[in-house]
Amino acid sequence: MRKYNRFYLPCAVLLLLAFFCAAAFCQEDMVAVDRGDFAHPQRPAAVFRHEAHNEKAGLEDCSVCHHLYEDGKLVPDESSEDQNCSDCHPLKSSKTAPGLRKAFHTLCISCHKKEKKGPLLCGECHLRHPQP
Amino acid sequence: MLYNLAQGPLVWVAFILFVAGSVYQVTRLLALTRKTEAHRWGRTPDAGPLSGTRPADGLSGRWTARLRLSIAGTQPLTIGVTVIFHTLLFLVPLFLLAHNILVDEAWGFSLFAVREKLSDYLTWLFLACALFFLLRRMLLARVRALSSFQDYYILFLAAAPFASGFLAYHQIFDYRMVITLHMLLGELMLVSIPFTRIAHMFLFFVLRFLVAHEYSLGSGRRVWR
Ligand code: HEM
């Protein structure tokens, strides 16, 4: 009994550690837009599988969504994927930029309307029971 | 397909029929009461809800008497429920976040919106009020005797957008189907307003404030031709 414990116990501990590391370091692909920037989120997070979405929609140019502005002017051909939308879009709309919720909605919905493809209604993005 | 129809052209059809029908009904009522008379029913002591009071009761006495003798005094529960019902009928859809986001997307402006949890509780409350009216109509013999199909229909029209909006918000049943139904029911309600007794929504003001009778609220002088 003693002998077994000496062998299996450290193994179990190592295995557990490995799991935690995997969870911590190997981040999963984005499946929904993080709503942590909203003070009191009201809706379930919007489903958005970053890689799969952009592949299916044929979006190769990152700056379509991750646009970059300097001094209020759009910098063409430059992108801002190292920033969050909330870095430039505060919760409330202002004269210089639309508020965060409006920024997301305008970006996603205006393209879906233009393309006549992709969800337009609240419950099609903010799924309460998202499929895995 | 039905969704595109409900969300686009039918909104306009419903809205135009609603405005045109309402203008028609108000004009018709005004034409029917074109004659005016100097005599004011509402103020005569021998008629209307004030007939039981004496000048000695004083002004506040007359007002409490007015309240006591009105249906607010004789049917306080029903009046309480009806005030809540009518307030919510307007306020909930007007200040609903989802409606305001859609209007903002379409026209670039929107009203103030309340938190969705609050709208959700108020929707529960509204549906409870609607159920109260339904049960009252079905269970009280004296109300049942006066009820026709239209009474049930207009109650249905008022409650259906709430019930379907509720199911959509909670994503119960197939979302697409429920939301399409919700829009169609909202449009049906809008179209039906001028052509059913929901027209009391604006005819009330014409009748109570402009036409003279024992229940006038203003000093209207119009009388029926
Ligand atoms: C006057 C009639 C209407 C009333 C009383 C009404 C009422 C409601 C209510 C009570 C809710 C949500 C309930 C909850 O949060 O529990 C709702 C949601 C909604 N309504 Fe309406 N509505 C009306 C007309 C319309 C029309 C004409 C449209 C569109 C053309 C519409 C579009 C929506 C949408 C998109 C939602 C959100 C569903 C979701 O959360 O996914 N409504 N409505």
Side-chain angles (χ1 to χ4, degrees), chain B residues 31-169:
Chain B
L32 284 170
T33 56
R34 217 169 22 226
K35 238 171 71 186
T36 55
E37 260 175 24
H39 183 74
R40 294 192 207 142
W41 278 99
R43 298 291 167 83
T44 50
D46 59 340
L50 279 182
S51 51
T53 59
R54 284 161 286 122
D57 290 341
L59 191 61
S60 70
R62 284 168 69 83
W63 272 104
T64 37
R66 195 168 191 150
L67 210 61
R68 182 160 37 79
L69 294 166
S70 74
I71 37 173
T74 54
Q75 302 282 333
L77 178 63
T78 305
I79 289 300
V81 175
T82 210
V83 168
I84 297 173
F85 178 92
H86 283 90
T87 313
L88 295 180
L89 184 58
F90 281 91
L91 294 191
V92 172
L94 212 53
F95 298 114
L96 191 76
L97 180 65
H99 290 172
N100 278 288
I101 289 180
L102 289 175
V103 168
D104 190 43
E105 265 170 40
W107 297 320
F109 75 91
S110 62
L111 301 167
F112 152 87
V114 303
R115 286 191 66 82
E116 297 199 286
K117 261 259 144 343
L118 177 61
S119 315
D120 199 33
Y121 289 140
L122 294 178
T123 302
W124 272 107
L125 184 57
F126 179 91
L127 290 172
C129 293
L131 185 67
F132 170 85
F133 285 132
L134 179 67
L135 291 179
R136 184 179 120 93
R137 203 167 276 292
M138 289 184 350
L139 298 180
L140 292 191
R142 67 176 198 284
V143 186
R144 191 167 60 231
L146 291 170
S147 300
S148 63
F149 172 75
Q150 210 196 103
D151 294 294
Y152 291 99
Y153 177 59
I154 65 175
L155 187 58
F156 166 80
L157 281 180
F162 279 83
S164 54
F166 180 85
L167 292 178
Y169 175 71

Side-chain angles (χ1 to χ4, degrees), chain A residues 42-43 123-124 126 128, chain B residues 104 115-116 169 171 175-176:
Chain A
Q42 306 194 56
R43 288 261 166 173
E124 294 173 328
H126 299 283
R128 285 188 200 278
Chain B
D104 190 43
R115 286 191 66 82
E116 297 199 286
Y169 175 71
Q171 296 171 21
Y175 181 72
R176 268 261 156 157

